[in-house]
Amino acid sequence: MAAQAESIEVPTDAELLQAQADLWRHSLYYLTSMALRCVVDLEIPTAIHRLGGVASLPDLMTALSLPSVKMPFLGRVMRVLVNSGVFAADNESEPGMELYRLTPLSRVLVHGVVADEHHSQRYFVLGVTSPHYTEAALGLADWFKKDTEPPVPSPFEEKFGVPLLDEKTALLDEELDDVVNQGVAAHDNLGIATILRECGDIFKGLESLTDCCGGDGTTARALVKAYPHIKCTVLDLPKVIDKAPADGVINYVAGDLFHTVPPSQAVMLKLVLHFWSDEDCVKILAQCRKAIPPREEGGKVIIIEIVVGPSLGPVMFEAQLLMDMLMMVNTRGGQRDEKHWSELFKKAGFTDYKIVKKLGARSVIEVYP
């Protein structure tokens, strides 16, 4: 007996053509990422900046010492990135004679420039598009099929045998470890001036603050510059603190936030918790709660993290969801919605919280003991 053919709803001609275009876009988005990695690796944003902010293809080929035979191909890469908003170009120019300009996105990719509030995101791009990251993502289907006892390792950890952002990562690949750490530092420091301008009231009246995982103290120094009365302490691992500048402005403490947090009126966790599982977040938050006084005495934890939700519009929401995927593939952490955050605060012994303000895809949250 012949098997009965299954039925399926057939889209209209218009729907089918749109579906085909959407399929191309979603299947090939990785080429936009690779094009971005290419121009960052070639330092094209920096070259345009050094050429006065405007550059043609011949200008770029000369400045970067690229073989002239490759100029048409670079034009195709730039066309993709103009379309995606990385660069701007004159629409009326003849093919090959376009003048390329920086956009806000490509300005944060300019490297080697020392200026207030500028933190180049070059290493963030090189890290998240690295072969290790992409190889871990390519193994997602196999990772889902494998039955694993909790705590479940990330696809990255399962693939390479070591966690990301761990002392063991350098044993896997020293260059990857260096690029990722520089990328995380630049990513974390981007926008701190905006936070101080838009949410400065959360720091007013504070006498002391501990910045957990504060790295070389870039954020703490910006905070002290804006509010000189605050005594700032940076807590980080010994290997980080050993390289921190002894400037006399910031008190550096080598330690592990899972075990102890230096006492202060407020503790700040800026882009820290998304790297950790729920269980580890509760442990970290509990240590922070022990380090601060009661709410009546100004005690609070300041958290800067993504609060996932569609309220900021589809572009910001997509960015949040992609950052969650980045965490899922490469760490045991993730980005969380407000309900999820609320549950973690309660489990760690806090009584209340307030989302002070949403800044781009991130939020500033105050949590009270």
Side-chain angles (χ1 to χ4, degrees):
M1 183 177 177
Q4 186 175 357
E6 295 184 19
S7 62
I8 185 169
E9 182 180 351
V10 178
T12 66
D13 290 343
E15 290 172 337
L16 183 62
L17 293 172
Q18 183 62 53
Q20 184 182 56
D22 289 340
L23 180 63
W24 290 349
R25 290 189 306 112
H26 288 292
S27 299
L28 300 175
Y29 269 147
Y30 76 95
L31 290 174
T32 303
S33 299
M34 292 302 108
L36 179 62
R37 178 183 175 87
C38 172
V39 299
V40 169
D41 216 357
L42 292 174
E43 298 204 24
I44 286 178
T46 305
I48 294 175
H49 172 73
R50 289 175 177 167
L51 288 166
V54 181
S56 65
L57 275 179
D59 293 334
L60 292 174
M61 300 302 289
T62 301
L64 300 170
S65 301
L66 299 177
S68 59
V69 70
K70 299 291 178 65
M71 187 165 71
F73 303 99
L74 182 60
R76 290 158 72 178
V77 170
M78 295 296 286
R79 181 172 60 184
V80 168
L81 295 178
V82 166
N83 184 66
S84 62
V86 177
F87 299 106
D90 297 329
N91 294 326
E92 299 178 359
S93 302
E94 292 292 326
M97 297 305 295
E98 294 89 351
L99 293 176
Y100 299 103
R101 294 180 172 83
L102 299 177
T103 63
L105 194 165
S106 45
R107 285 193 192 101
V108 301
L109 298 173
V110 173
H111 194 61
V113 174
V114 179
D116 288 343
E117 300 186 29
H118 180 73
H119 302 281
S120 171
Q121 300 301 297
R122 166 183 168 83
Y123 289 107
F124 174 79
V125 173
L126 295 179
V128 300
T129 60
S130 68
H132 288 89
Y133 276 55
T134 53
E135 194 172 344
L138 285 170
L140 265 176
D142 290 335
W143 178 79
F144 272 109
K145 294 174 186 176
K146 187 174 181 179
D147 193 7
T148 308
E149 291 292 324
V152 178
S154 69
F156 182 98
E157 187 176 351
E158 186 171 281
K159 176 70 178 178
F160 298 111
V162 298
L164 190 66
L165 295 166
D166 187 90
E167 292 183 354
K168 299 175 184 176
T169 311
L171 300 176
L172 170 67
D173 189 306
E174 287 188 9
E175 183 180 358
L176 171 72
D177 185 56
D178 182 57
V179 167
V180 170
N181 281 307
Q182 289 193 64
V184 168
H187 174 261
D188 291 358
N189 289 323
L190 185 69
I192 183 59
T194 302
I195 293 170
L196 292 174
R197 282 192 291 268
E198 297 291 327
C199 305
D201 287 348
I202 66 175
F203 301 107
K204 290 180 179 178
L206 287 181
E207 297 176 0
S208 59
L209 178 143
T210 296
D211 183 8
C212 290
C213 301
D216 65 358
T218 297
T219 294
R221 285 194 297 276
L223 180 59
V224 170
K225 183 178 179 180
Y227 301 96
H229 63 280
I230 299 179
K231 180 182 178 182
C232 273
T233 298
V234 167
L235 171 70
D236 217 314
L237 297 173
K239 68 173 185 177
V240 177
I241 297 300
D242 288 345
K243 299 177 183 178
D247 52 16
V249 177
I250 306 300
N251 178 38
Y252 292 94
V253 175
D256 182 345
L257 77 170
F258 281 96
H259 296 102
T260 183
V261 174
S264 58
Q265 192 175 11
V267 170
M268 183 162 66
L269 293 165
K270 181 169 63 68
L271 305 175
V272 172
L273 296 177
H274 63 254
F275 290 116
W276 300 99
S277 67
D278 287 356
E279 294 76 15
D280 284 338
C281 283
V282 171
K283 293 175 184 177
I284 292 169
L285 288 166
Q287 290 295 335
C288 293
R289 183 173 54 81
K290 292 178 183 178
I292 59 176
R295 182 175 182 176
E296 295 75 22
E297 297 175 24
K300 61 184 176 182
V301 176
I302 299 168
I303 296 174
I304 301 168
E305 283 284 2
I306 287 174
V307 178
V308 177
S311 63
L312 296 173
V315 174
M316 285 293 183
F317 189 40
E318 181 183 34
Q320 292 177 334
L321 297 179
L322 289 173
M323 287 298 288
D324 181 54
M325 284 293 293
L326 180 70
M327 293 299 103
M328 188 189 86
V329 171
N330 296 291
T331 76
R332 297 188 184 186
Q335 310 296 348
R336 300 166 172 97
D337 60 20
E338 184 174 353
K339 182 176 182 294
H340 200 157
W341 281 119
S342 177
E343 291 169 353
L344 293 183
F345 300 151
K346 185 176 180 180
K347 287 180 180 178
F350 290 91
T351 61
D352 198 9
Y353 73 93
K354 177 174 69 174
I355 297 178
V356 178
K357 193 162 189 175
K358 295 180 179 180
L359 297 172
R362 302 170 178 169
S363 293
V364 179
I365 311 169
E366 285 187 336
V367 191
Y368 309 109

